[in-house]
Amino acid sequence: MKEYVVGITGASGSIYGLRTIEALLEAGAGVRLILTETGEKVVAWETGREAGDWISDYKKRFTGQLVQEDNRDLFSASASGSHLTDGMVIAPCSMSKLAHIATGITPDLITRAADVSLKQRRPLVVMPRETPLSQIHLKNMLTLAECGAFIVPAMPAFYQKPQSLEDMADFMVSRVLDCLGVENHRYARWKEEV
Ligand SMILES: Cc1cc2nc3c(=O)[nH]c(=O)nc-3n(C[C@H](O)[C@H](O)[C@H](O)COP(=O)(O)O)c2cc1C
């Protein structure tokens, strides 16, 4: 079974992280979830549902595929390069975590796991969420892109005429899974019949 680390930070757009987890689980992959403290609060604020409820729902639907790791626990599996994964996604990614990763500062598990992905040359997909962007934000994104990370800003398209928030999120989720090479049909591709 393929395995991906998914990080959710305290940037706006927790729906992107949640639906990325769901899509990876639906694709039959294993997911190691790392939630930051603020990420957990923003999930509850934006979705009206506690992160723990989302997680137990996924665990029930996809038995044995989802493991949550404690962001404060640097003894977790994803802290080590010797634990094999197929890549990592951080969606949404705060400017704070982006800065940490771009400068190699890894005080918690989510930044350490991203650092591991880069050093092991595994796919790292970062979905930054902020607007407008400062020069610091842009430079940090460039640094990560130069290190091989995929920078996939939360910029849903409108040419597919999305009907719901979920449609808009799934456009981005589909782009993320494409970067990881995971087959997905969450969203009709341009000129593709649904
Ligand atoms: C509701 C809410 C929305 C936020 N949206 C963003 C955002 O879109 N981008 C960002 O960089 N920070 C955002 N922040 C600020 C981050 O949560 C803050 O920088 C925090 O320290 C990030 O912590 P983390 O990176 O450990 O998750 C938001 C905070 C709140 C409470």
Side-chain angles (χ1 to χ4, degrees), residues 5 13 15-16 26 34 48 66 72 79 81 96 101 105 121 127 132 140 147 153-154 178 192:
V5 180
I15 188 173
Y16 293 120
E26 275 175 6
I34 308 171
L66 177 63
R72 294 161 303 184
S96 170
I101 300 162
I105 298 172
R121 308 286 195 271
M127 186 187 287
N140 286 334
C147 293
D178 286 351
E192 180 186 58

Side-chain angles (χ1 to χ4, degrees), residues 22-23 25-26 49 54-65 186:
E22 191 180 50
L25 295 171
E26 275 175 6
R49 199 173 176 219
W54 287 103
I55 294 163
S56 28
D57 182 37
Y58 293 144
K59 280 187 173 169
K60 270 186 216 139
R61 284 170 59 200
F62 304 97
T63 313
Q65 284 177 250
R186 282 240 141 187

Side-chain angles (χ1 to χ4, degrees), residues 9-12 36 38-39 42 45 94-97 129-130:
T9 73
S12 183
T36 68
T38 321
V42 175
W45 177 259
S94 67
M95 294 303 102
S96 170
K97 287 294 180 271
R129 226 287 341 161
E130 187 51 278

